[in-house]
Structures are given as structure tokens and as C-alpha cells.
Amino acid sequence: MEVLRFTEGLEQKIQADGKAKAQQIVSDGEKECQRILQDFEARFASFESEKRAETESKIAALRRDVQSELALKQDRLQFSFKSSAVLSAINEYLGALPQDRLLQLLERMLDSYKQVLVGRQLVAKIVDMDISVVEPLLIKVFGKDVLQSCLPTEPLPLGEAFLGYDGAETSNLYRGVVLETTDGSIRCRATLGELITPLLENHREEMMRTLFGEGISV
């Protein structure tokens, strides 16, 4: 009987120890799980904060870029609009010039080419002007023997100063004379577009300020 009681007591002790160890293991496991969970939450919070800061920084940079680009586009549109207005004003002025004044301007341009064209036989191509009026002027400047022909022609493209402007605001700027040597080695333009090109290249902004009475952003 004593042996049986001893055995039963031993079993109970073993069971109690086992239960205590199991409870300890469970307790330790729960603590470890809690520690891991807290560590994860801390890491996630730090990661989330970093990513939020990074995202906000990128959004702020993008916003600055967009605002800068919009401001630049606005300046370009404003410049384009005002430049078109200046061209329209010049074009309207030149279109209203009386014929004698127009011929004076044309003669001045033709005179400037005499040195380049000296000793050359010439072909004159007339753009949007009356040949019967322009031909005597060409003979006056270069001589009858030099001028081989005088014929109407289609307008030639305007120069770089007029890029992007090729409509109603430039309709009168094609008018004038295109001179070519008979061998095709030299071509000179005596057109209203050529006449005002230096004006646009050097004084466009001044004309804008005169027309609009304000500063210009380029």
C-alpha cells in the first residue's frame, strides 16, 4: 500500500511539475509573442513615419515643379500673345503705308545690296506688289542691262524671328522683292519682313512695353 501511495504521489508531483512547466512555457510564449508584436508595431510605425515623410517630400517637390512649370508656361503664353500683338500692329501699319513710302523703303533695302550684287546679272521675283511699279525702281537702282527678268512669285517663308507667327499678323511682311543672280549663287530679300527683322530681334520687348504699358516676362 505504501508503495502504491508513493507511486500515486510521484505521479501527482510529476503531473504538477509538468503542468507548471507547461504553464511557464505558455506564459513565456505569450510574453515572447507580445514582445515580437510590440517590436513589429514599433518597426511598422517607424517605417510608416519614414514613408509618410518621404511621400510628403515627393509631393511637395512635385507641387513645386508643377507650379514652376505652370508659371513658365504662363510666361511663355503671355510672351507669345504680346509678341503676336506687336506683329499685328506692325503688320497693320505696313499694310496702310502709301505706295510712295513703301517704294522708298524698298529702294533703301535694294541699295544696301548693290555692293554684293555688283557686276551680276539679276532676276527679280516680285511678291504681292505691282510689277509695273517695282520694275522701274529696280532699273533705277541696278540698271536696265543688269535686270534680266522681273516676274511675280509666291511668298517665301519668313525668317527665324517670325517662327510660330505665320498668319494674319504677318500677311504684309512677305511683300517686296527677292533678287537672285542668274547663276543662283546669291539670293537677297528686300521684303518688309527683312526690314523689320532687326527691329524684332533687338527691340521686341521695348515694343511690348510700349503697347501694353507693363513689364514683360520672357
Side-chain angles (χ1 to χ4, degrees), residues 80-92:
S80 178
F81 170 77
K82 293 180 178 180
S83 183
S84 178
V86 166
L87 278 176
S88 294
I90 293 174
N91 186 68
E92 184 177 349

Side-chain angles (χ1 to χ4, degrees), residues 47-60:
F47 174 79
E48 185 180 28
S49 177
E50 290 176 1
K51 286 301 177 182
R52 185 183 296 111
E54 182 180 343
T55 301
E56 289 175 353
S57 177
K58 288 182 178 179
I59 291 174

